[in-house]
Each structure stands twice: as structure tokens, then as C-alpha cells.
Amino acid sequence: KLKHYLPQNSKMSNVSLPRISNGSPSNSNSFLGTPSGTAGTISPSMRQAPKGSSSFGPAGPGLKVQDHSTAVLDNVKLWGKEAGTFKASTLWKSSPVVLVLLRRPGCVLCRYQARELWLGLKNQLEKLGVRMVCIVHEWIDREVEAFTPYWPGEIYFDKEKDFFKFIGNGKLLTANPWALLNPLNSVWGRIKTAKKSVKQHNLVGNGLIKGGVVIIKKGGDFTYIHIEKELGLPAPHEEVLEGAEKAAEP
């Protein structure tokens, strides 16, 4: 059986799952960004997704976690600038894949951590035959384009945010912006580290929706899931590599 690390209050905590880990330029300290169509305000609806808004998990039919299967995600529609619209299952049809669910392309932490993951593991994953893909929940052309130096690989758009709802057990996991008012919050240490090498970042887009990392075997089945439990807390590279190695096994 695959190990699981779901929080104790999760409705799925009694189910055996793949390993789940918790975890225009500006010089502003904020990295959450501004939700599209707002001017620095955060609407209550963005703090928590309405119940029943997803076709995944307890809020609706479809999430068969006990099967350790990606069937619930197979028909999710993704879009790429060159690929057009396609079914998500295409990504793991012929090879295993590491999926990075990105919170916001302009975020200093997202840029830093994406680059670190790419530079740190790309060669090893390539030798294993594991694909690396980034998925965004919001597509703004100039923002995605500006993100490519940090992630020179595939980037696709999940318009309905289905992957993000999936890791949230049927709802979007959203950040509490008030936590940033605490100067002792560990996120500030991560931001300080990121700013040493990422000089260009911004506040464009919605940075409240938490992301993560999902690794899937060829043909389906999860081998690793990391959920961004804390803002900007990345998946440890050794865990990603371990999940990728399992995904590459026959």
C-alpha cells in the first residue's frame, strides 16, 4: 500500500493514498498578487471556494482515491499556446510526468522555486524518462512569457482549476493573506532567500490559490503528491526525485 500524509482533519485520512507531502517588475515584499479585476482588494469569495463548486471529491462524484487512479483527472481540459485544448491524460499516456501546479507566474517564490526544481532535477528526470510540466490556473500572456526563463519547459492552462481542486479534496486551497502581517512568519525567510537571485517579480494575477506537485506513472496512478500547506513551502527535491523514480518503474 502507498503511504499517505493527509492532514488529520481530512475526510480522506482513512484512505490509503500515494505519498502526500505538506508542504512589470516590482520590488514589493508581497507575493500573493492581486486577483484579476481587483485593485489590491481580496474578495471573501476568494478566501474559500463555495461548497459544491467542484465535480471532484466529496463535493461531487468522481474522486475515487481508493483506486489510486488518475481517472478523475483524465478528461480535464488543458490548453497550451501551441498545443491548443487537449485532455490531461495525454500528459501521462506515453511517459510518467511531474506536474508542478503553480500559484502565480510573477511571484518571487514561484519563480525561484520553479527554477531551482528545473535546474536541480531536469537532467535526472530526463534520464528516467520522466516529463516535467507546469500547470497554471490563470493565463496572462505577458506573465507566462516572463516566467519562461525560470521554467523553460511545457506550461499549460487549467481554466477550470480542476487540478488545484483535486489537491484540495474538492475545493480550492486558498492562502490567508493576514498571515503575512506576522514578521516572524517563516514565509519571510523564504522570500528573502528568493530575492537574492530573482530580481524581477510582480504582483500581477491571483496568488491566493495554493499549488503543489503531482507525479503520475505512465498510463495513470499517482506516486507522489505535495500540497502547498504553507505559502511558498516547496516540495523537497529528494521527495520529488523519489516519486519520479517510482513513477519510472515498469
Side-chain angles (χ1 to χ4, degrees), residues 169-216:
N169 192 22
K171 66 179 182 180
L172 295 175
L173 298 175
T174 53
N176 177 8
W178 308 117
L180 292 172
L181 296 178
N182 179 5
L184 300 179
N185 192 303
S186 59
V187 70
W188 292 113
R190 294 191 286 272
I191 292 174
K192 183 178 180 180
T193 298
K195 282 187 172 182
K196 290 178 181 178
S197 58
V198 177
K199 304 302 181 182
Q200 302 297 314
H201 48 92
N202 60 53
L203 302 176
V204 179
N206 180 358
L208 292 174
I209 298 173
K210 293 182 179 180
V213 174
V214 176
I215 303 180
I216 302 174

Side-chain angles (χ1 to χ4, degrees), residues 1-49:
K1 289 187 178 179
L2 294 169
K3 215 171 176 183
H4 72 89
Y5 292 80
L6 279 171
Q8 292 181 353
N9 61 354
S10 169
K11 295 181 180 179
M12 297 194 293
S13 59
N14 63 335
V15 180
S16 178
L17 287 173
R19 184 174 186 182
I20 297 182
S21 166
N22 289 312
S24 111
S26 165
N27 289 321
S28 168
N29 281 332
S30 175
F31 66 99
L32 288 174
T34 305
S36 298
T38 70
T41 60
I42 301 169
S43 68
S45 64
M46 298 196 71
R47 296 193 182 108
Q48 183 173 356

Side-chain angles (χ1 to χ4, degrees), residues 139 143 147 156:
W139 189 283
E143 292 304 306
F147 179 67
Y156 299 115

Side-chain angles (χ1 to χ4, degrees), residues 26 28 92 104 107-108 125 134 151 167 221 237 244:
S26 165
S28 168
W92 52 86
R104 189 170 65 82
C107 165
V108 63
L125 297 189
C134 182
W151 186 271
I167 63 170
D221 294 337
H237 288 195

Side-chain angles (χ1 to χ4, degrees), residues 198-242:
V198 177
K199 304 302 181 182
Q200 302 297 314
H201 48 92
N202 60 53
L203 302 176
V204 179
N206 180 358
L208 292 174
I209 298 173
K210 293 182 179 180
V213 174
V214 176
I215 303 180
I216 302 174
K217 290 177 67 71
K218 174 183 175 180
D221 294 337
F222 303 104
T223 60
Y224 177 77
I225 298 175
H226 167 80
I227 299 169
E228 188 182 15
K229 186 177 179 181
E230 293 182 26
L231 283 170
L233 191 62
H237 288 195
E238 61 271 19
E239 291 186 6
V240 175
L241 181 57
E242 181 184 352

